[in-house]
């Protein structure tokens, strides 16, 4: 399944977050350096040689987030960005998070 | 004292971080919504109406950081940015942090 070809769908709640089994299935389709924390958050660290490269990545992720209507949290250091993904409206993970993870990895 | 008129100086260690008394003095010269945590970090939350405004601010801070050669940590949410400032090389606060805080407030 190529999640990067899918598009995030608006999510305003009313659905259950993915359970442990579903998270275990979806996580196979993104790179194995993404971590799922207690089934409710995906996170990954990215390293860069300097601040310019760091900010270039941050802006690409921000543009993608606006296109998809789904916004990760970014913790921005001099040469590192930690991306965190979850679906606010359902307080857990949805397919959207895995779609965005897949697309971020292709930036 | 208008800290925003000063310029950050390169700091590669070898000096002591500011002590409690010095932090209490410097903090008078930046806006009072900056918090100093245990004298070793300055932090402030900024709120925005949408992601575009959030990212505009993030990029202005990043440009300023490059000009000053002093880079804050930024925690970037949909409509909020938390800025954290400290001087890595001395594991605490230096005048640079207050200069940058003052300049960020003028963006």
């Amino acid at each position: 399944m190529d999640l990067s070809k899918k598009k995030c769908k608006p999510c305003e709640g009313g659905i259950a977050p993915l359970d442990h089994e579903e998270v275990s299935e979806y996580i196979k389709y993104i790179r194995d350096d993404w971590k799922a924390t207690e089934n409710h958050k995906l996170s990954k660290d990215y390293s860069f040689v300097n601040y310019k490269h760091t900010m270039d990545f941050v802006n690409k992720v921000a543009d993608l987030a606006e296109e998809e209507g789904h916004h990760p949290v970014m913790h921005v250091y001099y040469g590192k960005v930690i991306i965190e993904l979850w679906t606010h409206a359902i307080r857990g993970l949805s397919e959207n998070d895995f779609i965005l993870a897949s697309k971020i990895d292709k930036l």
Side-chain angles (χ1 to χ4, degrees), chain A:
Chain A
M1 178 163 58
D2 187 352
L3 288 167
S4 71
K5 300 227 164 81
K6 291 193 157 196
K7 181 105 187 134
C8 290
K9 294 179 194 122
C11 176
E12 292 172 1
I15 57 164
L18 299 177
D19 63 22
H20 179 70
E21 203 176 329
E22 292 165 318
V23 169
S24 306
E25 185 58 27
Y26 270 108
I27 211 161
K28 294 177 191 167
Y29 299 102
I30 57 175
R31 292 205 191 145
D32 63 6
D33 42 7
W34 283 95
K35 283 177 222 137
T37 314
E38 294 166 24
N39 301 327
H40 81 265
K41 195 189 277 188
L42 285 179
S43 71
K44 183 169 166 180
D45 296 7
Y46 292 83
S47 293
F48 304 94
V49 291
N50 60 32
Y51 199 60
K52 191 188 172 309
H53 284 92
T54 297
M55 287 307 303
D56 285 349
F57 176 74
V58 164
N59 279 295
K60 281 184 196 163
V61 173
D63 289 345
L64 178 62
E66 286 283 74
E67 278 167 34
E68 296 290 328
H70 193 52
H71 302 79
V73 174
M74 294 190 274
H75 304 284
V76 184
Y77 300 81
Y78 178 81
K80 184 173 80 168
V81 179
I82 303 171
I83 299 279
E84 290 181 335
L85 283 164
W86 73 92
T87 301
H88 190 77
I90 58 171
R91 296 184 184 188
L93 289 167
S94 70
E95 189 185 62
N96 287 347
D97 299 301
F98 290 90
I99 292 171
L100 202 59
S102 174
K103 294 191 179 197
I104 291 171
D105 276 333
K106 294 208 167 180
L107 287 176

